[in-house]
């Protein structure tokens, strides 16, 4: 969550598990868009001796649809390779890593970047270095400096980074997956006759102090849009080759055959809480153009039907909407087509009638100097669901939308329940310990394995 371990099969393959996608007009370079795809969820910082890394056997891609048909018109493909300087030591590093090309950086990764458009493909970056993981004050004494050396400026105004970053997505996983319990509102939650007394409490950010591996690319807006059509659809995929065999002589897996998609992510939480359990693995293998097969789950989300039961008496209008079998045209617009002109005054990110789960971004809307973490429902058209910035509170936005807060936009006769505009898991960006950056790659410095939350350093020994 937003797409961490969201389907049975991909939960067994974290290296290929896409966790979050971000797409926004770059606040410090507003003639560009920044696209970020995160992988390898819920990384404990103290991950040695084999620290986290991208998969050499995985094809990572960020896709852009700029004509609204649910197929990729432009794809940025990343292939990684791992190099070990000294195979006769167990150490990830053999001394302080003070530069990205340090001889002490023993196990390192590089990648090639290829742009695919139609039937053509062009490699625009080769042997681009990744930074190390953030280990501790002896191994990575000036981590930000070394990570900065992994920001590569390519031709045609493209900037790229791939490596470990702090998890920027905040969510109360522990409470939400305890039958939809939202701590600030849990005094209203159904206890099902159990001897449990619940009372309102602050949210707990269960992804805080964890890391992810991030692929970030910043490209000119003109390179990803069609003239006169500023809205684009963005998603990420991970693919593996169709056959893998164990090479006993060399002690490693060998992959071959065509690439097969195993993971996909566009809008946050769609495969997490919208698609049913029996469809999640299938959804991960298909392109957005096939999403009409799953549209019924957006039009009639299971969570909307559950909320009146989980919170008795709190959502009577939502309960009536569900009982009437009303299709949620508001959610279809937000998640599957983009919002057409006339729904939200002065705003649209509509890409066409094709039902496709993509993170839609109207690139003509500039960044705001005073962003609202609730994005569009908070009066900030530069935020989710117009793309997604790293700090946007997508959990609150989507819970409120599912609870009916946005249905009145498409049906003026509907009155949302008062709670629909208030529900939240109680978290904000202040619950993320590593601050977001104002510049590329925007996600914070990854947490170090040496520094543990709330740790009190012991007194030095007396000799």
């Amino acid at each position: 969550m937003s797409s961490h371990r969201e389907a049975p099969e991909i939960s067994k393959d974290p290296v290929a598990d896409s966790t979050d996608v971000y797409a926004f007009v770059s606040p410090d370079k507003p003639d560009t868009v920044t696209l970020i795809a995160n992988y390898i969820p819920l990384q404990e910082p103290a991950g040695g001796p084999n620290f986290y890394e991208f998969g050499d056997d995985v094809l990572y891609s960020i896709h852009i649809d700029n004509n609204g048909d649910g197929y990729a018109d432009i794809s940025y493909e990343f292939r990684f390779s791992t190099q070990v300087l000294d195979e006769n030591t167990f150490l990830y590093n053999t001394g302080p890593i003070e530069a990205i090309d340090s001889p002490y950086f023993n196990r390192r990764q590089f990648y090639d970047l290829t742009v695919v458009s139609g039937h053509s493909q062009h490699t625009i970056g080769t042997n681009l270095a990744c930074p190390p993981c953030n280990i501790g004050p002896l191994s990575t004494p000036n981590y930000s400096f070394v990570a900065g050396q992994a920001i590569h400026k390519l031709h045609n105004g493209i900037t790229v980074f791939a490596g470990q970053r702090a998890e920027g997505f905040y969510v109360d996983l522990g409470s939400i997956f305890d039958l939809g319990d939202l701590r600030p509102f849990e005094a209203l939650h159904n206890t099902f006759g159990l001897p449990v007394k619940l009372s309102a409490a602050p949210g707990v950010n269960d992804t805080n102090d964890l890391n992810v591996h991030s692929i970030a690319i910043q490209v000119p807006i003109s390179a990803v849009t069609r003239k006169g059509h500023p809205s684009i659809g963005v998603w990420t995929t991970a693919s593996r080759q169709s056959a893998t065999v164990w090479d006993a002589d060399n002690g490693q897996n060998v992959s071959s055959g065509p690439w097969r998609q195993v993971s996909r992510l566009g809008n946050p939480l769609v495969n997490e809480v919208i698609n049913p359990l029996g469809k999640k693995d299938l959804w991960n293998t298909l392109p957005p153009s096939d999403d009409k097969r799953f549209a019924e789950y957006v039009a009639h989300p299971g969570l909307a039907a559950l909320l009146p039961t989980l919170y008795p008496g709190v959502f009577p209008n939502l309960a009536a909407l569900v009982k009437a079998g009303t299709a949620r045209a508001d959610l279809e617009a937000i998640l599957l087509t983009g919002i057409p002109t006339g729904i939200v005054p002065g705003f649209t990110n509509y890409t066409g009638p094709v039902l496709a789960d993509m993170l839609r971004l109207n690139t003509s809307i500039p960044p705001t100097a005073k962003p609202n973490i609730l994005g569009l429902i908070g009066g900030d058209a530069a935020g989710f669901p117009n793309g997604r910035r790293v700090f946007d509170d997508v959990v609150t936005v989507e819970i409120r939308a599912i609870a009916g807060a946005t249905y009145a936009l498409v049906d003026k006769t509907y009155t949302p329940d008062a709670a629909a505009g208030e529900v939240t898991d109680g978290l904000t960006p202040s619950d993320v310990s590593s601050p977001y950056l104002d510049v590329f790659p925007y996600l914070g410095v990854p947490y170090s394995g040496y520094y543990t939350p709330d740790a009190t350093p012991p007194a030095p020994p007396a000799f």
Side-chain angles (χ1 to χ4, degrees), residues 61-77 115-120 224 226 232-237 261 264 286-290 354 356-358:
S61 303
I62 297 176
H63 306 283
I64 297 168
D65 170 19
N66 59 24
N67 64 6
D69 62 359
Y71 292 98
D73 297 297
I74 302 167
S75 296
Y76 296 97
E77 296 185 345
V115 181
V116 179
S117 180
H119 297 292
S120 68
V224 295
R226 292 185 302 132
I232 58 174
V234 178
W235 71 100
T236 187
T237 60
Q261 181 180 306
R264 168 164 69 109
L286 297 174
S289 57
D290 282 2
V354 174
D357 172 46
M358 302 183 293

Side-chain angles (χ1 to χ4, degrees), residues 153-166:
K153 295 185 182 298
L154 309 179
H155 66 280
N156 296 332
I158 294 176
T159 303
V160 66
F161 171 90
Q164 190 180 57
R165 301 309 292 169

Side-chain angles (χ1 to χ4, degrees), residues 18-205:
S18 52
T19 67
D20 286 284
V21 176
Y22 304 94
F24 51 92
V25 176
S26 311
D28 53 324
K29 293 183 178 180
D31 60 341
T32 70
V33 293
T34 295
L35 313 173
I36 303 174
N38 289 345
Y39 284 85
I40 318 177
L42 307 175
Q43 297 177 21
E44 288 286 350
N50 297 300
F51 289 93
Y52 297 94
E53 62 189 18
F54 293 105
D56 291 357
D57 54 351
V58 177
L59 173 63
Y60 301 94
S61 303
I62 297 176
H63 306 283
I64 297 168
D65 170 19
N66 59 24
N67 64 6
D69 62 359
Y71 292 98
D73 297 297
I74 302 167
S75 296
Y76 296 97
E77 296 185 345
F78 299 77
R79 288 294 313 276
F80 291 85
S81 61
T82 303
Q83 298 178 13
V84 179
L85 298 184
D86 182 1
E87 294 186 346
N88 293 314
T89 177
F90 71 94
L91 292 169
Y92 180 82
N93 57 295
T94 56
I97 303 174
E98 297 183 271
I100 202 165
D101 58 353
S102 167
Y104 299 126
F105 187 4
N106 190 41
R107 186 175 176 91
R108 55 186 71 190
Q109 285 198 303
F110 301 86
Y111 61 98
D112 294 347
L113 170 58
T114 300
V115 181
V116 179
S117 180
H119 297 292
S120 68
Q121 60 181 38
H122 179 55
T123 298
I124 61 172
T126 60
N127 210 37
L128 302 172
C130 299
C133 290
N134 194 2
I135 302 169
L138 299 180
S139 295
T140 48
N142 190 353
Y143 188 83
S144 293
F145 172 76
V146 176
Q149 293 181 322
I151 297 175
H152 303 284
K153 295 185 182 298
L154 309 179
H155 66 280
N156 296 332
I158 294 176
T159 303
V160 66
F161 171 90
Q164 190 180 57
R165 301 309 292 169
E167 173 64 271
F169 172 63
Y170 46 96
V171 60
D172 194 339
L173 286 171
S175 70
I176 286 177
F177 286 109
D178 186 15
L179 290 176
D181 184 14
L182 301 170
R183 292 185 210 263
F185 297 87
E186 65 182 358
L188 304 174
H189 199 285
N190 192 338
T191 59
F192 305 101
L194 298 171
V196 177
K197 183 175 178 59
L198 300 175
S199 57
V204 175
N205 183 14

Side-chain angles (χ1 to χ4, degrees), residues 154-307:
L154 309 179
H155 66 280
N156 296 332
I158 294 176
T159 303
V160 66
F161 171 90
Q164 190 180 57
R165 301 309 292 169
E167 173 64 271
F169 172 63
Y170 46 96
V171 60
D172 194 339
L173 286 171
S175 70
I176 286 177
F177 286 109
D178 186 15
L179 290 176
D181 184 14
L182 301 170
R183 292 185 210 263
F185 297 87
E186 65 182 358
L188 304 174
H189 199 285
N190 192 338
T191 59
F192 305 101
L194 298 171
V196 177
K197 183 175 178 59
L198 300 175
S199 57
V204 175
N205 183 14
D206 290 309
T207 61
N208 197 32
D209 301 312
L210 300 177
N211 295 322
V212 293
H213 265 55
S214 187
I215 298 171
I217 184 168
Q218 192 172 77
V219 299
I221 291 174
S222 59
V224 295
T225 56
R226 292 185 302 132
K227 187 175 181 180
H229 299 272
S231 293
I232 58 174
V234 178
W235 71 100
T236 187
T237 60
S239 303
R240 288 189 175 278
Q241 290 178 283
S242 57
T244 301
V245 296
W246 177 250
D247 180 356
D249 293 334
N250 294 297
Q252 62 184 11
N253 284 317
V254 177
S255 299
S256 64
W259 293 99
R260 302 298 188 194
Q261 181 180 306
V262 297
S263 178
R264 168 164 69 109
L265 179 59
N267 280 295
L269 309 176
V270 168
N271 208 26
E272 188 99 21
V273 299
I274 298 291
N275 292 333
L277 192 60
K279 300 292 185 180
K280 291 175 180 287
D281 292 330
L282 174 62
W283 186 92
N284 263 335
T285 67
L286 297 174
S289 57
D290 282 2
D291 282 345
K292 61 185 177 182
R293 299 169 62 173
F294 307 94
E296 63 179 292
Y297 308 117
V298 175
H300 303 280
L303 181 57
L306 283 173
L307 283 173

Side-chain angles (χ1 to χ4, degrees), residues 431-443:
D431 295 294
V432 178
S433 296
S434 182
Y436 304 103
L437 306 182
D438 294 328
V439 296
F440 187 87
Y442 301 102
L443 290 171

